[in-house]
Amino acid sequence: MKLVSAGAARTVTGSCHLIETDGRRILVDCGFFQGPPELEALNHEPFPFEPAEIDALLLTHGHLDHVGRLPLLVRRGYEGPIHTLASTRKIAEIILLDSAKIQREDHERAARPGNRAGHGKAPPPLYSEDDVEQTLALVEEIRFDAPLDLGGGVRATFRPAGHILGSAWIELESSAGRLAASGDLGNRESVLQADAAMPGPCDVALIETTYADRTHRSREETVAEFRDVLGTSLEAGGNVMIPSFALERTQSVLYHLKRLMDSGEVPRAPIYLDSPMASKMTDLYETAPNEFLPEIARALEKGQNPFEPDTLRTIASVEESKAINEIEGGAIIVAGSGMMTGGRIVHHLKHNLWREEASVVVVGYQAEGTLGRRIVDGAQRVRILGDEIPVRARIATINGFSAHADRDDLLAWLEPTGEARVFLVHGEEPIMEPFARTLVEKGREAVIVERNRPYEATSASPGRGQPRTP
């Protein structure tokens, strides 16, 4: 069994892993590189394999960093099936059409100065809306825990990952052994999703390490922290900005806002959901009660909406979004993007970040090189939409809302895999290295995967029991 990672190797973005076994070439995810320009530039590079030679693609979930290069893969020759859950297919459709639209608009905007000056054009988008439609036509929907025959004696089974709606980790079986590919595992303190299913003994474990260096706060502590931050922020009289990922994080935030306001634990305040994509995702969440914890499922089955506080107003148009900036205080603004790299949140930050009475509540991961990371790291001034903006607002980070597993969750998931060789992906090196050492101390072999490098996944190797960082 061979492994090549064409993304999410020593970074938390661009997930794409090729597994070769029993003459079959299986791709797990094909995501977009997000973050600073040097990372996004990787989206334009050739794949380290021929797309037309891939036999099947297994899609773990619908986040852009796991689905974003699928249309590019198809454009470059892939014609095989894309296996995933029905809810992931619906999420991917929203995510990919939005990505194609943004690329087209960015290209048109970048091309205008060059066209007017009569020299050159901006690089074209990676793919179009038509490419997305062609990609979606390849999707074959599967169910959790139903074995899937991939030919050549290779079998895949999708297991619940507890990360977002439709998220799965994948058990791959062949004559070479059994591999468990984690995708993104969920936080066991989630208020929405049930815990990830546990794997059994296997030969290889491919595991994400996004938060492998920390332990999240408990659910109770996280809710208490969120309540206190909201109370203090609203009492200060400024606007409360919550940069939020459209998928899962927004729904979790809305759920908590509703409960805290209904119980009187925080003052009632107008809530603006300023993200068309987040609105679509919330509508989708309301149609899938079978994937949630019993409390959420029961509410949805009764026609109650746990994601809709009484004071919620959904913002659709650009004009409505701009009007929010006329509000000087007392509003809660939930908007994308989650890492503050674009979207409507950057306009709200420009109008509020310099106000001492304002607050920014960070509820998601902030990658290196992003505006969100600079703000969280304590920058005194940041550049937003061409202007230098002083950071005077209160910045509060609440990591307990993460949809990703923490260190203890990851170790618990790995425990039943026995003596499986562990390949570490989807993490930043300073986080992966201590986690690899922890595994070595437990007698495991831990390999920190390098992008585009081939590995013999199931073969014994010199230095077993030592962390390997090529």
Side-chain angles (χ1 to χ4, degrees):
M1 187 180 292
K2 296 181 180 179
L3 166 71
V4 177
S5 289
R10 307 189 186 200
T11 183
V12 294
T13 188
S15 287
C16 185
H17 311 288
L18 174 63
I19 299 159
E20 296 185 57
T21 184
D22 287 353
R24 308 297 285 173
R25 294 165 64 85
I26 312 299
L27 202 62
V28 177
D29 294 339
C30 192
F32 211 79
F33 288 97
Q34 298 171 275
E38 59 270 22
L39 264 182
E40 294 197 353
L42 297 178
N43 291 312
H44 296 269
E45 292 190 359
F47 292 105
F49 49 78
E50 286 297 327
E53 296 177 0
I54 301 299
D55 295 296
L57 191 145
L58 311 178
L59 182 57
T60 63
H61 66 287
H63 274 141
L64 184 65
D65 63 327
H66 290 257
V67 306
R69 282 187 290 166
L70 284 176
L72 181 63
L73 187 78
V74 171
R75 173 178 270 198
R76 291 181 178 175
Y78 180 68
E79 297 179 341
I82 299 172
H83 300 288
T84 197
L85 270 77
S87 47
T88 297
R89 193 258 184 224
K90 293 174 184 175
I91 290 168
E93 180 175 5
I94 296 171
I95 294 282
L96 291 175
L97 286 173
D98 182 72
S99 174
K101 176 175 176 287
I102 290 172
Q103 290 181 59
R104 173 173 50 80
E105 291 173 347
D106 285 349
H107 168 67
E108 290 171 353
R109 186 162 43 248
R112 286 185 200 121
N115 289 341
R116 284 196 299 266
H119 53 78
K121 292 184 178 180
L126 287 167
Y127 51 82
S128 67
E129 286 94 333
D130 288 343
D131 293 318
V132 173
E133 296 296 345
Q134 185 177 348
T135 300
L136 294 171
L138 299 177
V139 173
E140 297 184 7
E141 297 175 1
I142 52 89
R143 294 178 290 107
F144 283 129
D145 304 321
L148 174 68
D149 185 1
L150 297 176
V154 181
R155 186 172 68 172
T157 307
F158 285 61
R159 309 289 191 189
H163 176 54
I164 64 169
L165 185 66
S167 61
W169 63 266
I170 295 167
E171 182 179 78
L172 196 66
E173 299 172 278
S174 72
S175 66
R178 179 179 289 129
L179 176 145
S182 72
D184 286 352
L185 296 173
N187 180 356
R188 289 182 293 178
E189 294 289 336
S190 171
V191 296
L192 303 182
Q193 304 282 152
D195 293 345
M198 290 291 123
C202 58
D203 302 283
V204 180
L206 184 68
I207 190 166
E208 65 119 327
T209 52
T210 311
Y211 282 131
D213 66 336
R214 69 195 70 180
T215 301
H216 299 317
R217 289 191 174 190
S218 70
R219 184 183 307 175
E220 293 76 16
E221 290 174 322
T222 298
V223 174
E225 184 180 16
F226 190 48
R227 179 197 63 213
D228 293 345
V229 166
L230 287 172
T232 301
S233 300
L234 291 170
E235 185 178 340
N239 289 323
V240 181
M241 293 162 290
I242 306 180
S244 188
F245 301 103
L247 179 55
E248 192 282 331
R249 199 60 43 82
T250 290
Q251 293 74 43
S252 181
V253 166
L254 292 176
Y255 173 80
H256 284 298
L257 286 172
K258 177 175 174 58
R259 294 198 65 179
L260 289 170
M261 288 188 182
D262 286 353
S263 66
E265 294 178 75
V266 299
R268 302 185 77 80
I271 302 167
Y272 297 93
L273 177 55
D274 192 14
S275 169
M277 182 185 290
S279 299
K280 293 178 183 177
M281 293 299 181
T282 303
D283 290 343
L284 184 56
Y285 262 59
E286 293 163 10
T287 67
N290 61 307
E291 289 200 34
F292 299 118
L293 289 171
E295 179 182 353
I296 307 294
R298 285 194 297 269
L300 289 169
E301 287 166 353
K302 291 178 181 178
Q304 301 167 358
N305 192 334
F307 309 115
E308 190 172 317
D310 293 343
T311 61
L312 179 67
R313 179 181 171 187
T314 299
I315 302 301
S317 69
V318 173
E319 290 71 22
E320 289 177 302
S321 179
K322 290 179 179 179
I324 298 174
N325 291 322
E326 301 300 319
I327 303 171
E328 294 187 357
I332 298 173
I333 305 167
V334 183
S337 67
M339 295 187 194
M340 305 176 239
T341 54
R344 295 183 178 183
I345 192 63
V346 296
H347 295 274
H348 301 309
L349 290 170
K350 182 175 181 178
H351 284 82
N352 289 277
L353 201 56
W354 53 273
R355 302 176 187 269
E356 293 181 356
E357 68 276 15
S359 299
V360 180
V361 182
V362 180
V363 295
Y365 181 80
Q366 305 299 309
E368 288 283 356
T370 62
L371 174 61
R373 175 63 75 90
R374 292 195 293 275
I375 290 174
V376 167
D377 285 347
Q380 299 298 305
R381 302 180 70 86
V382 292
R383 178 168 287 276
I384 300 178
L385 301 174
D387 293 332
E388 287 287 331
I389 308 295
V391 181
R392 300 194 186 107
R394 180 186 182 200
I395 311 299
T397 302
I398 303 180
N399 287 326
F401 276 133
S402 175
H404 278 277
D406 65 9
R407 178 180 180 275
D408 291 348
D409 295 330
L410 297 172
L411 290 173
W413 189 81
L414 281 173
E415 185 66 29
T417 64
E419 297 184 358
R421 299 180 71 199
V422 183
F423 289 83
L424 278 58
V425 295
H426 206 283
E428 295 175 351
E429 280 191 75
I431 292 173
M432 304 171 94
E433 289 169 355
F435 189 68
R437 288 195 294 270
T438 296
L439 293 176
V440 169
E441 290 167 3
K442 293 177 176 291
R444 307 290 292 265
E445 181 181 3
V447 180
I448 299 177
V449 173
E450 182 177 351
R451 186 171 62 89
N452 294 349
R453 174 172 177 167
Y455 294 87
E456 290 287 345
T458 52
S459 66
S461 63
R464 184 170 177 82
Q466 298 295 322
R468 298 175 60 209
T469 55

